[in-house]
Amino acid sequence: VSVQPLRVGVIGAGTVGREVIRAFLDRSPRLAPPDGAPLLLTAVAEKFTERAIASGIPESLLTDAPAHMIASGDVDIVVETMGGAEPARTLISAALSTGKSVVTANKHVIAHFGPELERLARETGATLRFEAAVGGGIPLLGPIALDLAANRISRVRGIVNGTTNFILTAMAREGRDYAEVLAEAQARGYAEADPTADVEGLDALNKLVILARLAFGAWIEPAAVGNRPGMTTGAQGAPGITGVTAGDVASLAAEGRILRLIATTRLAEDGAIEASVVPTAVPAGSSFGRCDGVLNRVEVDGVPVGRVAFEGPGAGGPAAAAAVLSDLVAIARGVGSTWAGLPAAVERSALAVRPVAAECVAAPSGACYPVGD
Ligand code: HSE
C-alpha cells in the first residue's frame, strides 16, 4: 500500500529555513521514515525571492505570500523559520486553526503565546512541535516531555544561548573583546536578527519558559523571569551579559571561575516556580565551565532518575535545521505535539513565580554574580 506524502511548506528561507530546504533538495532518504508517510517539500514562502533563487531554491517552489500558502490546500505541514513575533504568531495560529501541523523554531512566539497556541492546537487537534526552539540541535524537549515523563522533575538548568556562551568563552579563554566576538557570532549565524535578545538574556529566558512548561506543566510569564545579576550596592545590574567587563572575567579567572549565562527553573516546596537567567560564576573545570563556545548544556534533576545532562550545538543553521527535521519525521510517524501525552498546561494567572535565590561573588564592575557548581 503506498502512503500519501505529507506536503511541507517552509516559511522563511533564512539561516535555519535554508538548511531545512537544503535537506529536502538533497532528497535525504531519512525524510521518508519506514514507519510513516514520506515528507515532500512543496512550497517555500520568502519575502526576498531573488535572494532565495540565488541561494539555489527552485523558483517553482517559491511564493512571497505565506498566508496564501497556509490557506491553500497545497500543504499539510507548515514549517515556520522566519522568527520574530509578527507575522509569525498570526501565521502559526492560522495554520493551527485549520488543523494543519506546524513545526517552528520560534522561541519568542512559543514562550510569549504558548498558552493560546496550546489551547488552539488542543481544540482543533492540530500538531505543534518546537524542538528547534531550545538547545539548537540537541534532542531536549522531546526527551523531557516523553522519555522523562514518569519522573517528578524538580529543577532544569543550563546554558541555552549559544551566542552569549560563545562570547563569554572567547573573553575568558582568549581575552578577546566583547563587541568583536559578538560580530563573529552574528557572522556565524548564531545570534538573533537583533542580538539584543541574546546578550540581554531574553532569548535564554524564552527558552526557560518553554522548558518550565514541559518540566512543570505550566506556562510562566516571561516578564516574571529575572535576567539581571545583583550589584554589591544592592541595586540590579545590567541585563544578561551586557554588564560583564574584561575586569570581571579576569578577576573570576584568578579564582578559577568562569562566567556562564545559566538559566534555572526550580519547583519550590511551597509550590512556587523559581526562574532566573543570570551570568553565573562556575568553576572553570566544572561541566558548565567546560561547556565552551556555541555549545549548550542542560541538566534535568528528577525523581527517580537523578540528574540527566544534555549537551550539543546550541545555535546555527545546521543545528536548528536538524531539530526541525526531526520534528517533521516525528509528525510523519504520528507522534503528535511536543507536549503530547502531558496534561494541558496550568493557567498563567494561577502561578507564583519568583527569582532563584543564590549566594554571589563580587566582581570589579560592582556586579555580584551568583555562584554555581
Ligand atoms: N540566538 C540563539 C542562540 C539561536 O544564540 O542561542 C539559537 O536559538
Side-chain angles (χ1 to χ4, degrees):
V1 189
S2 73
V3 185
Q4 283 288 337
L6 288 169
R7 298 159 305 168
V8 177
V10 176
I11 304 176
T15 308
V16 181
R18 213 170 22 233
E19 295 293 333
V20 172
I21 294 162
R22 198 195 308 269
F24 277 101
L25 297 180
D26 290 348
R27 295 217 167 77
S28 169
R30 291 176 206 286
L31 296 177
D35 55 346
L39 295 152
L40 193 67
L41 178 70
T42 53
V44 175
E46 169 57 50
K47 192 161 52 166
F48 304 107
T49 43
E50 295 300 318
R51 195 180 65 184
I53 293 167
S55 77
I57 299 171
E59 202 170 344
S60 57
L61 293 178
L62 276 163
T63 168
D64 58 3
H68 180 75
M69 182 184 98
I70 292 170
S72 77
D74 302 340
V75 300
D76 305 302
I77 308 177
V78 173
V79 173
E80 185 276 305
T81 45
M82 68 193 308
E86 287 294 357
R89 170 200 181 186
T90 302
L91 293 168
I92 292 170
S93 297
L96 295 174
S97 305
T98 58
K100 287 190 175 156
S101 300
V102 175
V103 174
T104 179
N106 197 321
K107 45 270 163 112
H108 179 88
V109 166
I110 298 295
H112 287 257
F113 307 106
E116 71 181 48
L117 293 175
E118 179 172 349
R119 220 174 296 123
L120 179 59
R122 286 185 186 272
E123 259 165 41
T124 62
T127 294
L128 175 59
R129 295 193 63 89
F130 42 91
E131 182 64 62
V134 189
I138 309 171
L140 178 62
L141 304 184
I144 291 176
L146 203 64
D147 304 293
L148 294 171
N151 292 272
R152 186 183 170 279
I153 297 176
S154 54
R155 182 176 74 172
V156 182
R157 63 171 183 166
I159 297 168
V160 289
N161 182 269
T163 300
T164 46
N165 209 56
F166 187 74
I167 295 172
L168 292 171
T169 301
M171 285 177 81
R173 305 251 191 263
E174 300 151 39
R176 285 172 65 194
D177 174 63
Y178 177 101
E180 180 219 332
V181 193
L182 171 58
E184 186 180 340
Q186 288 177 281
R188 287 173 179 246
Y190 299 160
E192 297 303 295
D194 176 359
T196 313
D198 294 295
V199 295
E200 291 196 347
L202 305 173
D203 177 79
L205 186 157
N206 286 337
K207 291 165 175 167
L208 191 65
V209 169
I210 297 170
L211 289 167
R213 157 65 188 98
L214 299 173
F216 303 138
W219 288 107
I220 58 178
E221 192 67 64
V225 182
N227 67 331
R228 294 166 187 266
M231 303 289 288
T232 46
T233 56
Q236 292 264 288
I241 66 161
T242 57
V244 173
T245 63
D248 291 354
V249 169
S251 107
L252 290 167
E255 295 172 23
R257 294 190 172 271
I258 188 167
L259 285 177
R260 293 286 176 241
L261 185 66
I262 306 270
T264 308
T265 184
R266 197 158 63 183
L267 203 53
E269 287 191 356
D270 62 1
I273 293 181
E274 298 179 344
S276 296
V277 174
V278 217
T280 302
V282 301
S286 66
S287 300
F288 283 123
R290 284 184 285 110
C291 179
D292 277 351
V294 75
L295 291 179
N296 281 188
R297 175 185 177 84
V298 174
E299 294 182 352
V300 179
D301 290 356
V303 177
V305 70
R307 178 166 301 163
V308 178
F310 301 85
E311 192 169 301
V324 167
L325 292 165
S326 76
D327 273 347
L328 285 170
V329 170
I331 291 173
R333 287 179 166 154
V335 173
S337 295
T338 299
W339 55 68
L342 299 177
V346 171
E347 288 295 320
R348 256 177 185 162
S349 54
L351 276 179
V353 181
R354 58 175 181 246
V356 182
E359 258 182 69
C360 70
V361 53
S365 66
C368 200
Y369 297 111
V371 176
D373 55 2

